[in-house]
mmCIF file of all heavy atoms in Angstrom:
data_model
loop_
_atom_site.group_PDB
_atom_site.id
_atom_site.type_symbol
_atom_site.label_atom_id
_atom_site.label_comp_id
_atom_site.label_asym_id
_atom_site.label_seq_id
_atom_site.Cartn_x
_atom_site.Cartn_y
_atom_site.Cartn_z
ATOM 1 N N PRO A 205 173.699 71.169 42.658
ATOM 2 C CA PRO A 205 173.676 72.156 43.743
ATOM 3 C C PRO A 205 173.996 71.559 45.153
ATOM 4 O O PRO A 205 173.251 70.566 45.464
ATOM 5 C CB PRO A 205 172.267 72.791 43.752
ATOM 6 C CG PRO A 205 171.715 72.549 42.360
ATOM 7 C CD PRO A 205 172.418 71.215 41.902
ATOM 8 N N GLY A 206 174.969 72.004 45.771
ATOM 9 C CA GLY A 206 175.254 71.576 47.133
ATOM 10 C C GLY A 206 175.922 70.204 47.180
ATOM 11 O O GLY A 206 176.208 69.578 48.211
ATOM 12 N N LYS A 207 176.397 69.700 45.968
ATOM 13 C CA LYS A 207 177.050 68.409 45.943
ATOM 14 C C LYS A 207 178.408 68.461 45.255
ATOM 15 O O LYS A 207 178.798 69.502 44.745
ATOM 16 C CB LYS A 207 176.139 67.407 45.206
ATOM 17 C CG LYS A 207 174.853 67.116 45.916
ATOM 18 C CD LYS A 207 174.072 66.058 45.167
ATOM 19 C CE LYS A 207 172.744 65.737 45.927
ATOM 20 N NZ LYS A 207 171.952 64.697 45.196
ATOM 21 N N GLU A 208 179.137 67.392 45.331
ATOM 22 C CA GLU A 208 180.512 67.410 44.803
ATOM 23 C C GLU A 208 180.421 67.096 43.214
ATOM 24 O O GLU A 208 179.423 66.582 42.771
ATOM 25 C CB GLU A 208 181.326 66.219 45.443
ATOM 26 C CG GLU A 208 181.629 66.576 46.813
ATOM 27 C CD GLU A 208 182.676 65.549 47.458
ATOM 28 O OE1 GLU A 208 182.985 64.609 46.794
ATOM 29 O OE2 GLU A 208 183.145 65.785 48.626
ATOM 30 N N ARG A 209 181.492 67.437 42.610
ATOM 31 C CA ARG A 209 181.552 67.222 41.161
ATOM 32 C C ARG A 209 181.614 65.702 40.910
ATOM 33 O O ARG A 209 182.345 64.997 41.684
ATOM 34 C CB ARG A 209 182.709 67.960 40.591
ATOM 35 C CG ARG A 209 182.839 67.931 39.034
ATOM 36 C CD ARG A 209 184.011 68.825 38.680
ATOM 37 N NE ARG A 209 185.302 68.272 39.175
ATOM 38 C CZ ARG A 209 186.402 68.936 39.071
ATOM 39 N NH1 ARG A 209 186.449 70.116 38.528
ATOM 40 N NH2 ARG A 209 187.582 68.323 39.576
ATOM 41 N N GLU A 210 181.015 65.221 39.828
ATOM 42 C CA GLU A 210 181.092 63.903 39.502
ATOM 43 C C GLU A 210 181.242 63.641 38.097
ATOM 44 O O GLU A 210 180.817 64.460 37.210
ATOM 45 C CB GLU A 210 179.791 63.153 39.937
ATOM 46 C CG GLU A 210 178.524 63.598 39.279
ATOM 47 C CD GLU A 210 177.198 62.902 39.762
ATOM 48 O OE1 GLU A 210 177.343 62.004 40.673
ATOM 49 O OE2 GLU A 210 176.190 63.198 39.176
ATOM 50 N N LEU A 211 181.885 62.544 37.688
ATOM 51 C CA LEU A 211 182.083 62.213 36.303
ATOM 52 C C LEU A 211 180.678 61.845 35.663
ATOM 53 O O LEU A 211 179.982 60.987 36.228
ATOM 54 C CB LEU A 211 183.015 60.998 36.097
ATOM 55 C CG LEU A 211 183.158 60.556 34.686
ATOM 56 C CD1 LEU A 211 183.988 61.493 33.840
ATOM 57 C CD2 LEU A 211 183.869 59.168 34.672
ATOM 58 N N VAL A 212 180.430 62.377 34.478
ATOM 59 C CA VAL A 212 179.254 62.009 33.698
ATOM 60 C C VAL A 212 179.618 60.995 32.625
ATOM 61 O O VAL A 212 179.046 59.915 32.550
ATOM 62 C CB VAL A 212 178.559 63.230 33.034
ATOM 63 C CG1 VAL A 212 177.356 62.843 32.247
ATOM 64 C CG2 VAL A 212 178.166 64.271 34.129
ATOM 65 N N ALA A 213 180.610 61.387 31.753
ATOM 66 C CA ALA A 213 181.066 60.538 30.726
ATOM 67 C C ALA A 213 182.392 60.972 30.219
ATOM 68 O O ALA A 213 182.788 62.136 30.403
ATOM 69 C CB ALA A 213 180.047 60.529 29.574
ATOM 70 N N ALA A 214 183.183 60.043 29.726
ATOM 71 C CA ALA A 214 184.389 60.387 29.121
ATOM 72 C C ALA A 214 184.656 59.492 27.901
ATOM 73 O O ALA A 214 184.007 58.357 27.773
ATOM 74 C CB ALA A 214 185.539 60.130 30.138
ATOM 75 N N ILE A 215 185.534 59.975 26.971
ATOM 76 C CA ILE A 215 185.892 59.230 25.784
ATOM 77 C C ILE A 215 187.356 59.427 25.428
ATOM 78 O O ILE A 215 187.883 60.529 25.638
ATOM 79 C CB ILE A 215 184.876 59.633 24.618
ATOM 80 C CG1 ILE A 215 185.053 58.842 23.415
ATOM 81 C CG2 ILE A 215 185.125 61.147 24.258
ATOM 82 C CD1 ILE A 215 183.975 59.061 22.335
ATOM 83 N N THR A 216 187.896 58.359 24.845
ATOM 84 C CA THR A 216 189.327 58.417 24.621
ATOM 85 C C THR A 216 189.483 58.577 23.106
ATOM 86 O O THR A 216 188.640 58.427 22.271
ATOM 87 C CB THR A 216 190.070 57.217 25.073
ATOM 88 O OG1 THR A 216 189.636 56.057 24.240
ATOM 89 C CG2 THR A 216 189.804 56.801 26.459
#
Side-chain angles (χ1 to χ4, degrees):
K207 296 185 179 180
E208 293 188 353
R209 187 177 62 189
E210 62 181 3
L211 174 71
V212 177
I215 189 167
T216 70

